[in-house]
C-alpha cells in the first residue's frame, strides 16, 4: 500500500548526507509538452542553490537512453544560464515512448538483449552511473513506468530516489489538479484557431473541424474552445461589413466525457449553417473513438498500437471520420479539418505554466534531498497543495469534469446542450 511503499522507499532512499557527492539525472519521456525544457531549467536552477557541487546529467531520449546508456553531463556553462531553458518548448535531451515492463517491445526495438529484464537493465545502468536521484518528467505512462522502476529498486535494495514531475497537455492524471504544460497547450490551441477561423470566408457553407489532442480526456478541447470563445470579446466587430462574431465563433465542442446525439447536433448545426454560412467545431481526438475503432475493425483495418497498448490516433484520424459523417448532412460545400496538436504541445510555457513549473521543480528537488520518492504535483486529495505524491497513487485516465462552471457557461453561450455525462469511456 501507499504507506508501506513510502516507508520502504525512505529506507532505500536515505537523506543525502553529502550533497557535494550527489549525482542527479533527468529524463523526459512520452510526447513533448510546453514544460519539459522549462522543468529541466527549473530543476537546475534550484539545485544550483541547494546542491551547487552536485553533478547533473540527462538521459537522452527518455527511458531509451537509460537502457542504452546514452547520457549527457550538463557543464557549468549550462548551469549558469539555466533560465534559457524557459524560453524553449520540447526537450533538449529528447523523448521516447518506452515501457520498461513491456519486454517484447524493448527487445524488438533493440533496447535490451533477448532474455534481459528492462527494469534490471535500467537499474544496473543507474547504479553504474552512480546516480543518487532520478527525475522523470512525463505523463501518467512516464510516471507509472517510474513507479515500476522505483518498486524494482526498492525490492532489490538499490539506493536511489526517484521524483517525477507530471507533464501532460491532457490534464488527465490522478490525483494531479493541474499538470504541467496543459495551460499553455490550451492557450495555443485557441491561438491556432484564431487564424484558422478566417478560412470560413473561402466558400459558401464552410465546415471547419478543429481536432484537438486528448485520447480519453476532453479538458484540452473544452478549455481551448472556452479560451477561443472568450477571446472573441476583444475583437472589433463590424456587422455592416459582414464581420460578425456569430460567423467566427465556436458552434460545437465535442469531448469524450459527454454523450452527443449526432442526429440532434446535426439539426442544430444546420440551423447555424443556414444562419451564418459556416460551422466551427472543436473536436477532441478521443470523441467517438470507440465507435470509430469498431467500424475500422469491422472493415478489417484495426489501427496499430504503441508500447503502452494505445491505438495510434494518427492512424484512426478522428477528424476525417467526423467530416465524412457531417459533410452531406450539413450540406457543406467545403470541409476543412485542422489539427492543432503539434502546434500546441511544442510551444514554450506561458506565464501561468512557468510559475507552476518552477514551484514543481523546487518541490521535486527538495523532496529528492530528503530522499522522498514520488511525484511532485498539486494533490487534489490534499487540498490542491504542492505535495510529493506516492507513486502508487498516480494513474492516468482522469476524465474532464464537464460540470466546470467555465465550460457549462461556454456551452450555454454557443447554444449547445450540455448532454449526459459519460461516467466511463
Amino acid at each position: 500500500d501507499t504507506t508501506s511503499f513510502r516507508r520502504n522507499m525512505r529506507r532505500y532512499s536515505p537523506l543525502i548526507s553529502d550533497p557535494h557527492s550527489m549525482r542527479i539525472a533527468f529524463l523526459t519521456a512520452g510526447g513533448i509538452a510546453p514544460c519539459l525544457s522549462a522543468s529541466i531549467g527549473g530543476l537546475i536552477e534550484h539545485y544550483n542553490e541547494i546542491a551547487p557541487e552536485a553533478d547533473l546529467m540527462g538521459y537522452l531520449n527518455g527511458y531509451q537512453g537509460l537502457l542504452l546508456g546514452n547520457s549527457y553531463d550538463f557543464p557549468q556553462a549550462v548551469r549558469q544560464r539555466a533560465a534559457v531553458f524557459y524560453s524553449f518548448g520540447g526537450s533538449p535531451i529528447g523523448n521516447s515512448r518506452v515501457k520498461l515492463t513491456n519486454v517484447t517491445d524493448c527487445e524488438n526495438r533493440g533496447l535490451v538483449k533477448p532474455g534481459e529484464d528492462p527494469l534490471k537493465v535500467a537499474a544496473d545502468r543507474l547504479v553504474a552511473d552512480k546516480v543518487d536521484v532520478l527525475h522523470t518528467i512525463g505523463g501518467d505512462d512516464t510516471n507509472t513506468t517510474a513507479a515500476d522502476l522505483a518498486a524494482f529498486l526498492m525490492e532489490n535494495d538499490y539506493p536511489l530516489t526517484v521524483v517525477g514531475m507530471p507533464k501532460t497537455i491532457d490534464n488527465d492524471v490522478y490525483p494531479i489538479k493541474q499538470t504541467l504544460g496543459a495551460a499553455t497547450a490550451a492557450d495555443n490551441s485557441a491561438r491556432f484557431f484564431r487564424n484558422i477561423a478566417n478560412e470560413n470566408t473561402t466558400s459558401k457553407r464552410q465546415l471547419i473541424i478543429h481536432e484537438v489532442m486528448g485520447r480519453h480526456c476532453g479538458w484540452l478541447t473544452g478549455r481551448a474552445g472556452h479560451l477561443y470563445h472568450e477571446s472573441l470579446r476583444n475583437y472589433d466587430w463590424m456587422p455592416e461589413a459582414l464581420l460578425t462574431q456569430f460567423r467566427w465563433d465556436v458552434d460545437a465542442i465535442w469531448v469524450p466525457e459527454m454523450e452527443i446525439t449526432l442526429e440532434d447536433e446535426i439539426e442544430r448545426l444546420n440551423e447555424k449553417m443556414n444562419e451564418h454560412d459556416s460551422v466551427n467545431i472543436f473536436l477532441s481526438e478521443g470523441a467517438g473513438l470507440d465507435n470509430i475503432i469498431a467500424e475500422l475493425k469491422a472493415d478489417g483495418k484495426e489501427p496499430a498500437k504503441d508500447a503502452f497498448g494505445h491505438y495510434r490516433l494518427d492512424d484512426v484520424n478522428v477528424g476525417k471520420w467526423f467530416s465524412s459523417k457531417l459533410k452531406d448532412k450539413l450540406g457543406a460545400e467545403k470541409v476543412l479539418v485542422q489539427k492543432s496538436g503539434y502546434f500546441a504541445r511544442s510551444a514554450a510555457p506561458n506565464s501561468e505554466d512557468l510559475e507552476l513549473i518552477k514551484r514543481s521543480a523546487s518541490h521535486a528537488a527538495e523532496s529528492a534531498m530528503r530522499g522522498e520518492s514520488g511525484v511532485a504535483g498539486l494533490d487534489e486529495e490534499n487540498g490542491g497543495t504542492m505535495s510529493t505524491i506516492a507513486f502508487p497513487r498516480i494513474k492516468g485516465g482522469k476524465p474532464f469534469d464537464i460540470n466546470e462552471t467555465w465550460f457549462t457557461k461556454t456551452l450555454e453561450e454557443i447554444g449547445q446542450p450540455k448532454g449526459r455525462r459519460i461516467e466511463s469511456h
Side-chain angles (χ1 to χ4, degrees), residues 10-172:
R10 283 173 174 165
R11 174 186 171 192
Y12 295 124
S13 302
L15 180 69
I16 301 297
S17 57
D18 183 10
H20 300 285
S21 65
M22 288 182 67
R23 189 157 175 77
I24 301 163
F26 313 137
L27 69 77
T28 55
I32 67 170
C35 62
L36 297 175
S37 179
S39 294
I40 294 170
L43 287 167
I44 291 175
E45 280 201 329
H46 202 67
Y47 277 119
N48 283 346
E49 296 178 5
I50 64 176
E53 301 302 321
D55 292 328
L56 304 182
M57 62 176 289
Y59 284 106
L60 302 180
N61 300 111
Y63 290 110
Q64 177 177 312
L66 178 57
L67 290 173
L68 297 177
N70 296 331
S71 61
Y72 176 79
D73 291 321
F74 290 104
Q76 280 298 319
V78 170
R79 297 184 64 161
Q80 291 168 4
R81 302 180 62 210
V84 172
F85 286 104
Y86 297 146
S87 300
F88 285 84
S91 170
I93 57 176
N95 283 33
S96 66
R97 293 187 185 276
V98 176
K99 188 175 179 66
L100 296 180
T101 55
N102 189 336
V103 178
T104 301
D105 181 68
C106 289
E107 286 185 2
N108 290 340
R109 294 165 65 180
L111 303 180
V112 298
K113 297 175 182 177
E116 287 185 327
D117 179 355
L119 282 170
K120 187 176 187 305
V121 172
D124 287 343
R125 171 53 56 186
L126 290 164
V127 172
D129 290 342
K130 298 180 180 179
V131 173
D132 298 291
V133 172
L134 175 65
H135 285 291
T136 57
I137 309 166
D140 58 293
D141 287 336
T142 298
N143 285 306
T144 53
T145 296
D148 293 334
L149 180 58
F152 182 89
L153 292 163
M154 178 182 70
E155 292 165 3
N156 292 276
D157 294 3
Y158 286 95
L160 183 81
T161 301
V162 183
V163 184
M165 292 175 64
K167 171 272 319 178
T168 175
I169 63 176
D170 295 337
N171 197 27
D172 66 344

Side-chain angles (χ1 to χ4, degrees), residues 187-199:
D187 189 27
N188 277 273
S189 294
R191 177 185 164 205
F192 174 90
F193 198 74
R194 283 197 285 274
N195 280 4
I196 297 300
N198 295 313
E199 289 287 334

